[in-house]
Amino acid sequence: MKLFKVSVLLSIAAAVFAGALLFMTSQKVQQQEDRLAALRNASRQEVAHIRVLRAEWDYLNRPDRLEKLVSDHMGMDVVESGAVITDVNHVPEPLMIAPPSRKPQFFAQPVSMGGSSDEDEQEQNIDAPTTTPLPVREEQNFNKLLGKLKKGGADE
């Protein structure tokens, strides 16, 4: 009898191949589990870090601390309940800007593409409409307007 038959050799080779494949697969699974554990640990650390940041944010945004900072650094006082306007009649009227008395007129001047002679320029000047300058506001009106603005928009 033959000690080793071909079928026995093939069976042993298949078993060795299957064992090697199983070993490689188990190693890959172990590496992926280690990576997953590291990611979960990093995620837990980030969640803890976010909790610390939220606690710091809440601590820094305390109303009494903010009021103290505003009064110390910005020179602002705390608004009391009596300082708020409750009646509409106490609200000042908004400053209304008067529109100009008439709309300004703008006219386009004709342009020639070719060379022009002196006669063409004279004809263009004759045909061009004349515009009158807008009236200049008096200095007194300007000073009155400034006075109104300084007084807070009170009517005179």
Side-chain angles (χ1 to χ4, degrees):
M1 217 185 8
K2 281 183 159 181
L3 196 61
F4 291 103
K5 290 187 177 180
V6 175
S7 62
V8 172
L9 285 175
L10 287 177
S11 298
I12 292 173
V16 169
F17 179 73
L21 188 62
L22 179 64
F23 179 74
M24 288 175 40
T25 304
S26 67
Q27 288 299 315
K28 285 184 182 179
V29 168
Q30 186 64 37
Q31 289 174 354
Q32 293 298 325
E33 285 178 350
D34 292 342
R35 184 171 177 252
L36 179 63
L39 288 174
R40 284 184 177 159
N41 188 25
S43 175
R44 283 189 210 109
Q45 287 177 351
E46 287 298 319
V47 168
H49 186 67
I50 289 172
R51 285 183 186 149
V52 169
L53 290 175
R54 284 187 179 155
E56 287 178 0
W57 181 259
D58 290 340
Y59 177 75
L60 292 175
N61 283 326
R62 292 185 332 262
D64 57 337
R65 179 184 172 273
L66 292 177
E67 285 178 6
K68 184 178 181 301
L69 287 174
V70 165
S71 64
D72 291 347
H73 297 289
M74 298 183 77
M76 299 173 74
D77 293 329
V78 177
V79 178
E80 297 178 9
S81 62
V84 178
I85 296 176
T86 57
D87 189 12
V88 177
N89 295 329
H90 293 110
V91 177
E93 289 292 325
L95 179 64
M96 299 299 289
I97 299 174
S101 60
R102 64 184 180 95
K103 188 174 180 179
Q105 298 176 357
F106 297 103
F107 297 101
Q109 299 293 329
V111 177
S112 64
M113 299 303 282
S116 63
S117 64
D118 291 334
E119 293 175 6
D120 290 340
E121 289 179 12
Q122 289 176 358
E123 287 178 14
Q124 288 178 359
N125 289 337
I126 292 171
D127 293 340
T130 58
T131 58
T132 57
L134 294 175
V136 179
R137 295 188 184 212
E138 296 175 357
E139 187 176 342
Q140 292 175 348
N141 290 338
F142 181 71
N143 289 335
K144 286 181 184 178
L145 179 64
L146 284 177
K148 284 182 182 180
L149 289 173
K150 287 179 183 177
K151 291 179 185 177
D155 292 316
E156 290 183 22

